[in-house]
mmCIF file of all heavy atoms in Angstrom:
data_model
loop_
_atom_site.group_PDB
_atom_site.id
_atom_site.type_symbol
_atom_site.label_atom_id
_atom_site.label_comp_id
_atom_site.label_asym_id
_atom_site.label_seq_id
_atom_site.Cartn_x
_atom_site.Cartn_y
_atom_site.Cartn_z
ATOM 1 N N TYR A 35 -10.460 7.259 6.691
ATOM 2 C CA TYR A 35 -9.196 7.765 7.229
ATOM 3 C C TYR A 35 -9.541 8.511 8.525
ATOM 4 O O TYR A 35 -10.698 8.930 8.760
ATOM 5 C CB TYR A 35 -8.566 8.756 6.253
ATOM 6 C CG TYR A 35 -8.029 8.178 4.992
ATOM 7 C CD1 TYR A 35 -8.872 7.923 3.894
ATOM 8 C CD2 TYR A 35 -6.683 7.926 4.846
ATOM 9 C CE1 TYR A 35 -8.374 7.403 2.731
ATOM 10 C CE2 TYR A 35 -6.157 7.424 3.655
ATOM 11 C CZ TYR A 35 -7.022 7.168 2.614
ATOM 12 O OH TYR A 35 -6.538 6.661 1.454
ATOM 13 N N GLN A 37 -7.845 11.701 11.278
ATOM 14 C CA GLN A 37 -6.816 12.690 11.504
ATOM 15 C C GLN A 37 -6.966 13.215 12.954
ATOM 16 O O GLN A 37 -7.928 13.940 13.256
ATOM 17 C CB GLN A 37 -6.895 13.857 10.499
ATOM 18 C CG GLN A 37 -5.772 14.845 10.598
ATOM 19 C CD GLN A 37 -5.871 15.909 9.495
ATOM 20 O OE1 GLN A 37 -6.913 16.268 9.031
ATOM 21 N NE2 GLN A 37 -4.705 16.418 9.066
ATOM 22 N N SER A 48 -10.032 0.113 3.553
ATOM 23 C CA SER A 48 -10.623 0.284 2.210
ATOM 24 C C SER A 48 -11.616 -0.851 1.957
ATOM 25 O O SER A 48 -11.487 -1.932 2.565
ATOM 26 C CB SER A 48 -9.547 0.335 1.133
ATOM 27 O OG SER A 48 -8.820 -0.857 1.130
ATOM 28 N N GLU A 56 -8.311 -3.688 2.247
ATOM 29 C CA GLU A 56 -7.077 -3.509 2.983
ATOM 30 C C GLU A 56 -7.415 -2.819 4.285
ATOM 31 O O GLU A 56 -8.360 -2.006 4.360
ATOM 32 C CB GLU A 56 -6.128 -2.620 2.158
ATOM 33 C CG GLU A 56 -4.738 -2.424 2.737
ATOM 34 C CD GLU A 56 -3.893 -1.411 2.004
ATOM 35 O OE1 GLU A 56 -4.392 -0.831 1.039
ATOM 36 O OE2 GLU A 56 -2.742 -1.196 2.440
ATOM 37 N N PHE A 91 -12.543 10.880 8.065
ATOM 38 C CA PHE A 91 -12.854 11.204 6.708
ATOM 39 C C PHE A 91 -13.195 9.934 5.903
ATOM 40 O O PHE A 91 -12.492 8.939 5.976
ATOM 41 C CB PHE A 91 -11.640 11.882 6.012
ATOM 42 C CG PHE A 91 -11.277 13.239 6.609
ATOM 43 C CD1 PHE A 91 -10.101 13.358 7.316
ATOM 44 C CD2 PHE A 91 -12.093 14.321 6.408
ATOM 45 C CE1 PHE A 91 -9.743 14.566 7.834
ATOM 46 C CE2 PHE A 91 -11.730 15.552 6.928
ATOM 47 C CZ PHE A 91 -10.561 15.681 7.648
ATOM 48 N N VAL A 97 -10.253 6.405 -9.669
ATOM 49 C CA VAL A 97 -8.786 6.450 -9.693
ATOM 50 C C VAL A 97 -8.329 7.316 -8.526
ATOM 51 O O VAL A 97 -7.804 6.818 -7.539
ATOM 52 C CB VAL A 97 -8.295 7.021 -11.034
ATOM 53 C CG1 VAL A 97 -6.743 7.092 -11.020
ATOM 54 C CG2 VAL A 97 -8.771 6.137 -12.216
ATOM 55 N N GLN A 98 -8.537 8.617 -8.633
ATOM 56 C CA GLN A 98 -8.174 9.535 -7.516
ATOM 57 C C GLN A 98 -9.174 9.390 -6.391
ATOM 58 O O GLN A 98 -10.354 9.198 -6.637
ATOM 59 C CB GLN A 98 -8.131 10.988 -8.011
ATOM 60 C CG GLN A 98 -7.036 11.341 -8.913
ATOM 61 C CD GLN A 98 -7.369 11.049 -10.387
ATOM 62 O OE1 GLN A 98 -8.484 10.664 -10.687
ATOM 63 N NE2 GLN A 98 -6.372 11.191 -11.229
ATOM 64 N N GLN A 99 -8.670 9.530 -5.155
ATOM 65 C CA GLN A 99 -9.565 9.466 -4.010
ATOM 66 C C GLN A 99 -10.082 10.863 -3.679
ATOM 67 O O GLN A 99 -9.301 11.829 -3.549
ATOM 68 C CB GLN A 99 -8.807 8.901 -2.809
ATOM 69 C CG GLN A 99 -8.440 7.441 -3.011
ATOM 70 C CD GLN A 99 -7.738 6.827 -1.812
ATOM 71 O OE1 GLN A 99 -7.978 7.194 -0.687
ATOM 72 N NE2 GLN A 99 -6.926 5.824 -2.077
ATOM 73 N N TYR B 36 -2.849 17.195 -2.236
ATOM 74 C CA TYR B 36 -4.132 17.635 -1.783
ATOM 75 C C TYR B 36 -3.990 19.019 -1.063
ATOM 76 O O TYR B 36 -2.927 19.295 -0.519
ATOM 77 C CB TYR B 36 -4.774 16.656 -0.755
ATOM 78 C CG TYR B 36 -5.266 15.350 -1.359
ATOM 79 C CD1 TYR B 36 -4.443 14.287 -1.573
ATOM 80 C CD2 TYR B 36 -6.635 15.221 -1.669
ATOM 81 C CE1 TYR B 36 -4.911 13.096 -2.126
ATOM 82 C CE2 TYR B 36 -7.121 14.048 -2.204
ATOM 83 C CZ TYR B 36 -6.239 13.004 -2.408
ATOM 84 O OH TYR B 36 -6.728 11.827 -2.944
ATOM 85 N N GLN B 38 -5.790 21.186 2.091
ATOM 86 C CA GLN B 38 -6.688 21.028 3.184
ATOM 87 C C GLN B 38 -6.898 22.330 3.903
ATOM 88 O O GLN B 38 -5.919 22.938 4.391
ATOM 89 C CB GLN B 38 -6.198 19.963 4.193
ATOM 90 C CG GLN B 38 -7.235 19.652 5.266
ATOM 91 C CD GLN B 38 -6.840 18.539 6.191
ATOM 92 O OE1 GLN B 38 -5.667 18.319 6.439
ATOM 93 N NE2 GLN B 38 -7.806 17.809 6.728
ATOM 94 N N PHE B 46 -8.616 17.231 -3.610
ATOM 95 C CA PHE B 46 -7.675 16.668 -4.597
ATOM 96 C C PHE B 46 -7.180 17.786 -5.532
ATOM 97 O O PHE B 46 -7.958 18.604 -6.006
ATOM 98 C CB PHE B 46 -8.382 15.593 -5.391
ATOM 99 C CG PHE B 46 -7.566 15.109 -6.578
ATOM 100 C CD1 PHE B 46 -6.448 14.282 -6.368
ATOM 101 C CD2 PHE B 46 -7.876 15.532 -7.881
ATOM 102 C CE1 PHE B 46 -5.702 13.880 -7.466
ATOM 103 C CE2 PHE B 46 -7.134 15.123 -8.957
ATOM 104 C CZ PHE B 46 -6.042 14.301 -8.725
ATOM 105 N N THR B 49 -2.433 14.218 -9.479
ATOM 106 C CA THR B 49 -1.825 12.916 -9.392
ATOM 107 C C THR B 49 -0.635 12.849 -10.353
ATOM 108 O O THR B 49 -0.753 13.314 -11.494
ATOM 109 C CB THR B 49 -2.769 11.782 -9.810
ATOM 110 O OG1 THR B 49 -4.005 11.912 -9.141
ATOM 111 C CG2 THR B 49 -2.178 10.442 -9.534
ATOM 112 N N ALA B 98 -7.906 -1.665 -3.830
ATOM 113 C CA ALA B 98 -8.315 -0.428 -3.148
ATOM 114 C C ALA B 98 -7.309 -0.189 -2.022
ATOM 115 O O ALA B 98 -7.520 -0.662 -0.898
ATOM 116 C CB ALA B 98 -9.732 -0.548 -2.584
ATOM 117 N N ASP B 99 -6.236 0.503 -2.323
ATOM 118 C CA ASP B 99 -5.175 0.703 -1.356
ATOM 119 C C ASP B 99 -5.203 2.082 -0.739
ATOM 120 O O ASP B 99 -5.553 3.051 -1.402
ATOM 121 C CB ASP B 99 -3.821 0.483 -2.075
ATOM 122 C CG ASP B 99 -3.719 -0.903 -2.616
ATOM 123 O OD1 ASP B 99 -4.050 -1.849 -1.901
ATOM 124 O OD2 ASP B 99 -3.313 -1.031 -3.777
ATOM 125 N N GLY B 100 -4.817 2.152 0.523
ATOM 126 C CA GLY B 100 -4.819 3.403 1.220
ATOM 127 C C GLY B 100 -3.680 4.281 0.870
ATOM 128 O O GLY B 100 -2.584 3.826 0.511
ATOM 129 N N LEU B 101 -3.899 5.579 0.995
ATOM 130 C CA LEU B 101 -2.828 6.518 0.787
ATOM 131 C C LEU B 101 -2.006 6.675 2.060
ATOM 132 O O LEU B 101 -2.570 6.653 3.167
ATOM 133 C CB LEU B 101 -3.428 7.900 0.411
ATOM 134 C CG LEU B 101 -4.189 7.958 -0.922
ATOM 135 C CD1 LEU B 101 -4.858 9.320 -1.059
ATOM 136 C CD2 LEU B 101 -3.241 7.721 -2.066
#
Side-chain angles (χ1 to χ4, degrees):
Chain A
Y35 292 81
Q37 186 175 31
S48 59
E56 185 188 1
F91 296 110
V97 178
Q98 289 86 5
Q99 294 184 28
Chain B
Y36 287 84
Q38 187 176 30
F46 171 75
T49 309
D99 299 314
L101 296 172

